Amino acid sequence: MTHPPKNTEAESFKKFLIIIGTLLVIITIVLISTVVNAQQKNKPLKIVEKLPELSIINVINLKAGSINLKEHKGELIILDFWATDCSSSAEYLMTVQKLQAEFKDMVLILPVTSQKAATVQAYLQATPRLSGLNQPIATGDTLLRQFFPYKSVPHIIWIDQKGVFRSVTYAEYLNAANIREALTGGAMNWPQKDSEAPYDYSKPLAAANTIPADKRHSLLTGYVPGASTRSGTEKDSSGRITRFYAINHTLLHLYAIAYQRGALIFNPSRRILEVRDTAALVYSPGAGYLTEWERKHQYSYECSLPPGTDLKEVYSWMRHDLDAMTGLKSSIEKRKVSCLVLKIKDESLFKSKSQTQSPVQKRYVALGPEEEAPYMQNAPLENLVLAISRIPGFPPVLDETGFAGPADLHFSKPLNNLKSLQQELKKQGLSLQHQQRE
């Protein structure tokens, strides 16, 4: 009995169509699942809502490489959103590591960034003060940010032991005392970080119908919730300035803008405050949390202008307005005062100690008040002068070294003790002495 030859080409084509059809069904299911997941991710979590059980991937400094939040039930979870280009949030990583070590498995503190792992690892390797960091860090995040959107970092999320979103704060509230409060069932009712909803800076602070179109009108009011610290101008269709605003600034910051003198803020030795009490002008750690002090002592200023007004006129008016509205009196004056003058005492010693860097060595400055062993690497001396000028109680600091190149300087103690600072500088060929200057 003979059989007709099989049509192998037809059968192959039939199998091919079946495979293609199956693949299309699978792709459709995947796409539908992806759309559903994307829709779920786009819904920000509200206070008192429960965080879903998530698996966080791309976690560096962790052998598993991922963290399943389901495995941390019963723990207080704190998410610390940060970025390498924000020095304050990045420098807080060592604090996070210390807190995690202190509270162990009672708390999960997880730094989170949208930046890729390679970017974060390169930053950690290039930052000497973070060389001992082994804290797990979630990188390349796109998931958690959907639940907790933010427009600025640090951005601290507090989730209680039941997985309920309880609070969103600034970094200064991430400390041992507040963690203990949260662990013992505290309400976590600290001042919340401002709304992440966009603020319309083009909207006048004063009602629009109260502003004459051809007259100058100015207003000084208090802290504006939801707005960042920002200043700028509004222009008409012809490009002419019609409004100047400076929202959520301290009075000193407003005066710095009006006088175009940033040193009033960043170099306290360049200002003289002849007032009975400086507590409303300058923050000090004894005043409590910075966030709460700012909300009490920040102001917002705006000036609506006749079309064609020059910006220089605005600053002049602003100086007048601030004096008139606050009862203060401000001026720029020359006075002969005692200064700290930086000079090269031993040129050969200075060069041997400070010019050891290679041409390709990265510039790095770690001279802040929190540094136990401050140093600067391949950086101009102006960084040292600025750091010393910022120390409370120190007089103005002048650089009379005549040295414009980069230098390396190392200190075994914080900079805030003048006597030890002078001794450390002497070892490196420099002197810092009191002298009269105008």
Side-chain angles (χ1 to χ4, degrees):
M1 185 175 180
T2 59
H3 298 279
K6 294 181 179 180
N7 189 342
T8 55
E9 290 184 0
E11 287 184 1
S12 297
F13 183 71
K14 185 177 180 181
K15 290 179 180 179
F16 174 77
L17 289 177
I18 292 172
I19 292 170
I20 291 296
T22 303
L23 287 173
L24 288 173
V25 171
I26 292 172
I27 291 170
T28 302
I29 292 172
V30 170
L31 287 174
I32 291 173
S33 175
T34 301
V35 170
V36 171
N37 287 336
Q39 290 172 346
Q40 292 173 344
K41 290 176 186 177
N42 286 331
K43 184 180 178 182
L45 214 61
K46 296 178 182 178
I47 297 286
V48 308
E49 289 186 340
K50 196 167 184 178
L51 180 67
E53 294 176 349
L54 304 173
S55 183
I56 312 303
I57 60 173
N58 299 322
V59 180
I60 64 172
N61 293 337
L62 188 68
K63 187 176 181 180
S66 64
I67 293 177
N68 191 332
L69 295 186
K70 184 178 180 180
E71 298 173 358
H72 293 272
K73 274 188 174 180
E75 297 177 27
L76 174 67
I77 297 175
I78 302 173
L79 304 176
D80 170 19
F81 289 93
W82 71 287
T84 62
D85 54 1
C86 174
S87 59
S88 61
S89 66
E91 289 169 2
Y92 214 72
L93 291 174
M94 291 304 294
T95 300
V96 167
Q97 179 165 286
K98 291 176 183 176
L99 290 170
Q100 184 66 77
E102 179 178 350
F103 291 95
K104 298 182 173 61
D105 56 2
M106 292 187 291
V107 179
L108 169 65
I109 309 177
L110 183 63
V112 182
T113 178
S114 59
Q115 294 172 293
K116 294 181 180 179
T119 301
V120 175
Q121 288 170 329
Y123 172 78
L124 296 178
Q125 291 169 4
T127 308
R129 76 179 70 181
L130 299 177
S131 60
L133 187 79
N134 53 25
Q135 170 74 28
I137 300 173
T139 64
D141 172 64
T142 57
L143 176 61
L144 289 170
R145 187 168 186 170
Q146 297 294 324
F147 288 103
F148 307 106
Y150 55 88
K151 58 185 178 182
S152 65
V153 292
H155 187 72
I156 311 300
I157 300 297
W158 299 73
I159 301 164
D160 70 14
Q161 294 93 320
K162 295 180 180 180
V164 177
F165 175 29
R166 291 295 182 188
S167 190
V168 51
T169 69
Y170 293 93
E172 62 178 335
Y173 291 89
L174 179 50
N175 57 47
N178 286 337
I179 289 176
R180 291 190 194 96
E181 180 184 335
L183 286 172
T184 54
M188 303 190 219
N189 57 351
W190 311 298
Q192 301 296 281
K193 190 179 176 191
D194 281 327
S195 168
E196 297 303 308
Y199 180 84
D200 184 5
Y201 293 90
S202 65
K203 183 180 178 181
L205 297 173
N209 58 6
T210 67
I211 305 173
D214 59 342
K215 304 265 184 200
R216 184 179 76 87
H217 175 91
S218 56
L219 172 72
L220 182 69
T221 187
Y223 173 81
V224 177
S228 303
T229 297
R230 185 182 296 188
S231 60
T233 59
E234 294 292 326
K235 299 180 180 180
D236 63 15
S237 57
S238 302
R240 298 177 300 179
I241 297 174
T242 57
R243 174 175 172 261
F244 172 83
Y245 64 88
I247 296 176
N248 290 349
H249 295 265
T250 64
L251 281 178
L252 275 182
H253 203 161
L254 289 175
Y255 273 111
I257 294 172
Y259 280 99
Q260 292 294 283
R261 298 288 183 97
L264 291 173
I265 300 300
F266 302 112
N267 191 342
S269 64
R270 294 285 181 171
R271 67 185 183 226
I272 299 175
L273 302 178
E274 296 177 329
V275 295
R276 187 173 300 174
D277 184 8
T278 62
L281 297 175
V282 181
Y283 169 77
S284 65
Y289 287 111
L290 175 62
T291 300
E292 294 168 44
W293 183 89
E294 286 181 334
R295 292 183 181 183
K296 184 178 179 181
H297 297 294
Q298 282 188 335
Y299 294 84
S300 297
Y301 171 84
E302 78 173 358
C303 186
S304 298
L305 311 161
T309 303
D310 186 85
L311 193 56
K312 290 181 180 179
E313 292 181 78
V314 176
Y315 295 137
S316 177
W317 287 333
M318 186 177 182
R319 293 193 291 270
H320 174 271
D321 289 339
L322 290 175
D323 283 355
M325 294 173 176
T326 64
L328 299 172
K329 184 179 180 182
S330 63
S331 63
I332 298 293
E333 300 177 6
K334 276 190 176 184
R335 294 188 183 184
K336 195 169 187 178
V337 296
S338 177
C339 300
L340 287 173
V341 180
L342 183 68
K343 294 183 179 182
I344 296 177
K345 186 177 182 66
D346 186 329
E347 188 168 350
S348 60
L349 179 59
F350 170 66
K351 289 185 177 180
S352 68
K353 291 284 187 181
S354 70
Q355 293 181 273
T356 57
Q357 72 280 348
S358 67
V360 295
Q361 189 176 25
K362 185 177 179 179
R363 175 177 297 181
Y364 194 79
V365 178
L367 298 172
E370 73 285 353
E371 301 294 338
E372 294 296 325
Y375 71 95
M376 52 181 267
Q377 171 185 290
N378 198 26
L381 287 174
E382 64 185 30
N383 292 279
L384 176 65
V385 171
L386 182 58
I388 300 173
S389 298
R390 290 177 172 175
I391 299 173
F394 275 35
V397 184
L398 302 177
D399 178 9
E400 295 185 2
T401 62
F403 181 76
D408 288 358
L409 294 174
H410 297 264
F411 304 89
S412 60
K413 299 177 182 178
L415 302 179
N416 58 5
N417 183 289
L418 180 56
K419 186 175 180 179
S420 65
L421 174 59
Q422 290 170 323
Q423 292 171 347
E424 298 259 3
L425 287 170
K426 185 177 180 180
K427 294 176 186 177
Q428 301 176 83
L430 294 169
S431 71
L432 186 67
Q433 299 297 330
H434 284 282
Q435 294 184 10
Q436 292 287 315
R437 294 288 188 275
E438 186 176 24

